[in-house]
Amino acid sequence: MNNAVDEKHLISPFLIVPLMYVSMVGVGVLNFQRELAEHAGYNAYISVVIVGISIHLIVWMIYKILRSNPEGLDITAINHTYFGKIAGSIINFAIVLYFFFGAYIEFKAYIEVIQVWMFPSMKILPISTILMLLIYYTVSGGFRSVTGLSFLGFLMSLIFIIPENLPVLPYLHPQNLMPLFNHSASDILLSSKSMIYQFLGFEALLLFYPFIKSPAKSQKWAHLMVIFVTLLYLMIIIITFMYFSEGQLRQISWPTLNMLKIIEGPVFQRVEYLAISLWLLKNLSGISLSLWAACRGMKNVFRIKPRASLLAFLVGILILDYFLKDRSIYRWISEFYSDVGLYFIYGYIPIMFVVTQIRKMGRRIAIE
Amino acid sequence: MNRRKIFLVIILCTVLSACTDQKIVNQICLVHAISFDTVAKGKKTAVLISHFKEQGKTDLEVLHTESKSYLSLPRLNTQTNDPLERGQMRMVLFGKTSAEKGIGTVIHHLLRDPKFSSRLQLGVVERDASELLEITTKTQEPFFLSDMIEQNMRNGNLPLMNLHVSLFNYYGEGRDMFLPYFKIGREGAAGSGGHGEVKIDGLALFRSDRMITEISLKDAFLLKMLIQNSKNGSYTVPLAGKASNNTNNQGEDFILLRSMHSKANYMVNNVHLIPSISIRLKLVTELQNVPDWVDVRSEEQLTRLEKTMGSYLKKEIEKFLSRLKENKVDPVGLGDLIRSRSKNWNAQDFEKIYQEIKTTVSVQVKIANTGSG
């Protein structure tokens, strides 16, 4: 139903690195520690490892699914061929909505950080509109400009995430991590569930796969990024656990930013303001990627021009942002999103994997 | 080309949008220190603010207010022409009486508000905390008190402390908070020039949010040794036995040692019932002062000195620990230590057995340097 992507829109396999990074590291990196520690306490770092390993499996499955169709099409086309026109379209539309809400949640979470940490009394609508314009500019520039912004976001966030951990070293208490195993396996799995939410977003790979030049080569980079991001989360969580006592962590909403408060430079006495500002780039690239995926889906399913659907999505985010003042509704949406994401990753993808593999085997037998 | 212009405009808009909520330093009033006291009618809050007149010259001023609750910063705004800003606050002081009544609300507020730096210093004042602020105005240095504490952590007997460490100890289970303890000298001491009258006199020990007791700077060194590297702390060890031959310096028989490095090792035995902890301390010192009858060039005498110092420190630390147990305070974090070694631990159970825990101490002193004498 859709042609292969034009050569000039393709990206080289290596550039999947920033894309995977911005999709897996969201605003959640600023505050995931507390929720993670809720169930498994200070054993929760095990959850990070478990989730990291499972994501590897999912990424491997995604590549298998996408490689099963020889034309190199994305997931929307695969849905069409397997589920028929109507059911396929419904599933595709659900995927589009999923990415749209992913973008909205990411956006809202960032605005919340700005409000609490930087400008408590700032009006939300003007700043949101300006950010929306920036996102419009990026996404309408096509997949390559999304990749470009992601690359910047990737560099910017690495600039502060890794060095921020050095000045806290004198305050670390390795004793906090002991005893090593004092929570049950079910607690650790419950914590894993909240960790999955942090990784959500990498499913955009299902849609941008056809945009990678020689996609098979990108798989090793994808896996490398999963390892890298897992290690990044692991490093942050372990340092957080050693830095805060458990009772203290329970009281803190943004542990990563709180850790930055201990850093004092000669010019900057408070680094967290700088960090939040730098984080903007990373965050915009994450939102752009999700919205791009949503637009691409719309184009494939309903043949709507990406620009038109992009405008609709951006206005949609603004409206949601402006009218949903109630935090409990936002909470509910993000919880719903993470539940859907859980089923999407661990339900839908494995099912598709099995279906495509059976089909492939069937085809092979038929040929023989 | 057109696209690029649009992009530029958007970027500039993004930058400009940060210009809401402006805080220009000339149009705000920076609060450098705040103090909380309990008075008969309620609670007294005082803040130390500065007026920047010209380069290098600051006028400090103290504002007071009394109300039913702490944290009446908004109420203090009625006394200034510019809004009070708490982002540069470096020192929070509590009067002893208010510290004894509990400072949990203030601590919680310091945790909640993102404006406060983690490097903020907390302290307890023997008398009225606002009085201490008044004294600092004379120094013309807004950060006098916090610099004093930081200086003493680096070069003296105080262990590493700041808001983060205090919150860690306060909210952490199995450990208790400790804060520097200020003493104000005699008022109007002749020719004291204004600032000689404030001194850090040790540490105030807390149980939960209430101050229980205070310890001297000498004991603060012992605490520092137990929880971290005690580098640069100093300690005096009396040297008994041989009376001084030289009658000129009677009663001067002590060793002044300066710690160059120390490390504490904890071993926990019998976790299940009543745990016992053995603490092994290694201390590398430099002798600052020794009585004149000690020959620092003789190896034999030095080893004897090392032994004497070791056994004296051991005795003092044991005394110190039993004093902590008596007061049911745990600044060392023994509870947390046992938590980390046992599968099931809870704070309430530990509190009951805290006083029965056996601690054995052994101290190994090594003299690395004897000075030039």
Side-chain angles (χ1 to χ4, degrees):
Chain A
M1 56 170 277
N2 47 4
N3 319 327
V5 182
D6 195 347
E7 173 84 26
K8 70 176 183 199
H9 296 303
L10 297 185
I11 58 162
S12 70
F14 166 74
L15 283 174
I16 196 179
V17 164
L19 289 171
M20 289 297 277
Y21 177 83
V22 296
S23 57
M24 284 191 286
V25 180
V27 167
V29 78
L30 304 178
N31 65 355
F32 72 107
Q33 299 99 322
R34 177 176 156 188
E35 223 173 293
L36 205 57
E38 215 164 84
H39 296 288
Y42 273 20
N43 285 164
Y45 60 93
I46 303 168
S47 308
V48 179
V49 179
I50 293 174
V51 173
I53 292 170
S54 73
I55 297 291
H56 266 295
L57 196 68
I58 301 294
V59 167
W60 177 77
M61 281 182 185
I62 289 178
Y63 270 93
K64 277 278 187 192
I65 294 170
L66 291 167
R67 219 180 287 154
S68 69
N69 67 329
E71 300 89 20
L73 299 175
D74 60 17
I75 193 73
T76 52
I78 296 175
N79 279 337
H80 262 280
T81 45
Y82 284 92
F83 298 106
K85 189 133 187 126
I86 295 166
S89 290
I90 290 171
I91 293 175
N92 286 340
F93 188 62
I95 291 177
V96 167
L97 277 184
Y98 172 75
F99 280 113
F100 168 71
F101 276 102
Y104 164 68
I105 286 163
E106 184 84 0
F107 181 74
K108 183 80 185 170
Y110 185 69
I111 292 287
E112 199 178 311
V113 173
I114 294 183
Q115 274 182 308
V116 173
W117 285 81
M118 293 177 81
F119 306 114
S121 57
M122 190 173 62
K123 286 206 176 61
I124 292 308
L125 201 58
I127 180 84
S128 307
T129 316
I130 291 167
L131 293 182
M132 286 302 144
L133 285 175
L134 202 58
I135 294 171
Y136 178 78
Y137 174 80
T138 314
V139 180
S140 65
F143 186 62
R144 288 178 69 126
S145 68
V146 173
T147 313
L149 187 65
S150 302
F151 192 74
L152 272 182
F154 173 57
L155 287 185
M156 282 301 181
S157 69
L158 281 191
I159 280 174
F160 94 88
I161 282 195
I162 293 177
E164 84 152 46
N165 291 306
L166 298 175
V168 302
L169 291 180
Y171 298 94
L172 297 185
H173 292 250
Q175 193 177 284
N176 281 355
L177 295 177
M178 305 287 285
L180 283 177
F181 303 102
N182 63 342
H183 289 82
S184 65
S186 60
D187 281 342
I188 287 173
L189 282 179
L190 274 174
S191 280
S192 304
K193 201 182 151 207
S194 76
M195 191 61 218
I196 289 162
Y197 174 56
Q198 308 305 327
F199 277 96
L200 288 187
F202 72 96
E203 318 84 84
L205 179 60
L206 288 168
L207 285 148
F208 70 69
Y209 180 81
F211 283 78
I212 307 167
K213 210 184 280 174
S214 55
K217 275 189 200 155
S218 69
Q219 189 169 7
K220 66 163 191 260
W221 291 112
H223 283 290
L224 209 67
M225 275 329 273
V226 176
I227 295 178
F228 177 76
V229 171
T230 311
L231 287 179
L232 191 75
Y233 276 124
L234 196 63
M235 179 187 81
I236 294 173
I237 197 104
I238 287 182
I239 288 189
T240 311
F241 284 174
M242 291 199 285
Y243 183 73
F244 297 111
S245 50
E246 204 169 334
Q248 192 184 4
L249 186 65
R250 245 177 258 134
Q251 307 277 340
I252 291 172
S253 314
W254 279 279
T256 311
L257 288 175
N258 217 303
M259 261 154 70
L260 285 171
K261 275 168 64 169
I262 203 80
I263 304 174
E264 214 176 70
V267 184
F268 281 101
Q269 273 185 340
R270 307 296 290 281
V271 188
E272 65 267 24
Y273 291 92
L274 182 70
I276 294 172
S277 312
L278 283 181
W279 196 254
L280 173 72
L281 268 182
K282 148 73 220 30
N283 205 48
L284 284 184
S285 50
I287 297 168
S288 301
L289 182 61
S290 299
L291 281 181
W292 178 86
C295 291
R296 179 79 191 161
M298 286 304 272
K299 187 190 167 200
N300 290 348
V301 184
F302 305 108
R303 302 191 167 272
I304 299 173
K305 269 193 177 169
R307 252 172 224 209
S309 50
L310 174 63
L311 265 180
F313 287 143
L314 291 178
V315 172
I317 288 184
L318 276 184
I319 289 172
L320 277 177
D321 189 33
Y322 190 69
F323 288 104
L324 280 189
K325 292 268 157 61
D326 196 351
R327 279 168 62 95
S328 62
I329 299 178
Y330 165 66
R331 245 335 94 83
W332 181 82
I333 291 181
S334 68
E335 263 161 36
F336 185 66
Y337 169 77
S338 65
D339 283 346
V340 171
L342 184 75
Y343 295 123
F344 187 55
I345 291 188
Y346 293 103
Y348 172 74
I349 290 176
I351 289 172
M352 285 305 281
F353 173 72
V354 172
V355 171
T356 51
Q357 294 312 303
I358 290 175
R359 174 81 176 256
K360 208 167 138 191
M361 263 184 337
R363 208 184 293 154
R364 202 178 298 152
I365 291 164
I367 290 168
E368 277 165 12
Chain B
M1 195 58 215
N2 200 20
R3 260 184 113 71
R4 202 172 286 171
K5 269 185 202 152
I6 295 171
F7 185 64
L8 203 70
V9 169
I10 296 173
I11 287 286
L12 285 177
C13 286
T14 325
V15 175
L16 276 177
S17 65
C19 294
T20 61
D21 273 3
Q22 284 181 336
K23 273 160 194 166
I24 297 168
V25 76
N26 287 333
Q27 290 161 17
I28 52 173
C29 199
L30 292 175
V31 176
H32 298 299
I34 189 163
S35 73
F36 301 104
D37 286 302
T38 316
V39 286
K41 273 179 276 171
K43 275 135 188 180
K44 187 165 85 174
T45 310
V47 293
L48 179 72
I49 59 169
S50 58
H51 303 287
F52 293 101
K53 291 268 164 63
E54 52 189 280
Q55 182 104 43
K57 241 184 169 181
T58 21
D59 271 353
L60 297 177
E61 195 191 334
V62 178
L63 304 175
H64 296 272
T65 182
E66 280 179 26
S67 71
K68 285 252 154 44
S69 75
Y70 289 134
L71 312 168
S72 31
L73 220 51
R75 189 186 278 250
L76 282 165
N77 257 327
T78 56
Q79 300 178 26
T80 57
N81 54 347
D82 290 322
L84 290 174
E85 266 308 318
R86 58 209 186 283
Q88 273 291 332
M89 199 185 286
R90 295 293 185 82
M91 188 77 228
V92 175
L93 292 168
F94 302 98
K96 191 180 177 184
T97 38
S98 69
E100 278 166 348
K101 281 192 177 151
I103 53 174
T105 47
V106 179
I107 298 269
H108 191 69
H109 178 72
L110 294 175
L111 172 97
R112 298 281 315 152
D113 194 333
K115 284 269 167 82
F116 294 116
S117 162
S118 291
R119 284 186 188 264
L120 182 108
Q121 292 292 345
L122 305 162
V124 178
V125 186
E126 190 194 24
R127 280 186 295 179
D128 225 16
S130 59
E131 203 178 305
L132 189 58
L133 289 187
E134 296 281 2
I135 293 170
T136 23
T137 56
K138 291 183 210 152
T139 65
Q140 303 254 330
E141 277 179 62
F143 303 133
F144 180 74
L145 294 172
S146 55
D147 285 350
M148 189 158 133
I149 296 171
E150 270 156 29
Q151 189 268 111
N152 273 289
M153 295 187 312
R154 269 196 311 276
N155 308 319
N157 284 2
L158 293 187
L160 182 64
M161 284 178 291
N162 54 34
L163 178 63
H164 169 70
V165 174
S166 302
L167 291 174
F168 184 92
N169 289 332
Y170 176 69
Y171 286 104
E173 288 183 326
R175 44 176 76 244
D176 286 322
M177 185 167 67
F178 50 88
L179 299 179
Y181 187 66
F182 286 98
K183 219 169 194 172
I184 304 172
R186 274 175 298 126
E187 249 171 290
S192 60
H195 10 128
E197 32 194 348
V198 183
K199 66 170 182 181
I200 299 173
D201 197 51
L203 293 172
L205 303 184
F206 285 72
R207 185 194 312 138
S208 183
D209 69 337
R210 280 156 211 270
M211 176 177 162
I212 301 298
T213 178
E214 72 259 10
I215 57 173
S216 67
L217 266 183
K218 225 180 149 184
D219 286 344
F221 176 75
L222 300 179
L223 180 63
K224 190 176 185 176
M225 221 166 33
L226 286 169
I227 57 180
Q228 66 180 83
N229 180 0
S230 66
K231 195 177 163 189
N232 286 341
S234 53
Y235 198 76
T236 51
V237 177
L239 211 54
K242 197 165 181 179
S244 177
N245 297 330
N246 194 340
T247 42
N248 294 343
N249 52 357
Q250 267 178 330
E252 289 260 327
D253 281 357
F254 63 86
I255 308 168
L256 179 62
L257 62 87
R258 188 171 141 263
S259 163
M260 296 173 75
H261 177 83
S262 77
K263 186 161 174 38
N265 263 317
Y266 293 87
M267 298 266 284
V268 183
N269 306 313
N270 195 11
V271 174
H272 302 293
L273 297 160
I274 289 164
S276 66
I277 301 171
S278 65
I279 306 168
R280 262 189 306 168
L281 278 161
K282 272 191 188 140
L283 174 67
V284 182
T285 63
E286 178 189 64
L287 295 183
Q288 298 270 36
N289 192 18
V290 282
D292 52 4
W293 49 265
V294 176
D295 181 12
V296 291
R297 270 158 299 186
S298 127
E299 283 292 322
E300 186 199 338
Q301 288 213 23
L302 278 186
T303 29
R304 206 185 309 146
L305 267 189
E306 281 172 353
K307 279 213 179 103
T308 333
M309 290 195 289
S311 60
Y312 181 74
L313 278 170
K314 170 188 153 79
K315 211 173 65 206
E316 288 298 307
I317 289 174
E318 274 166 358
K319 229 192 278 174
F320 175 63
L321 286 174
S322 60
R323 191 172 155 209
L324 295 182
K325 282 180 216 160
E326 241 167 68
N327 287 304
K328 289 190 181 170
V329 291
D330 188 7
V332 186
L334 294 181
D336 192 44
L337 178 77
I338 290 164
R339 178 199 61 78
S340 74
R341 306 290 155 90
S342 49
K343 266 204 173 312
N344 299 310
W345 181 91
N346 76 56
Q348 284 82 35
D349 288 351
F350 179 76
E351 235 167 76
K352 281 175 216 148
I353 59 163
Y354 180 51
Q355 289 178 307
E356 293 164 45
I357 286 177
K358 278 201 187 70
T359 41
T360 48
V361 186
S362 70
V363 185
Q364 199 183 37
V365 182
K366 198 174 162 345
I367 298 171
N369 197 345
T370 54
S372 58

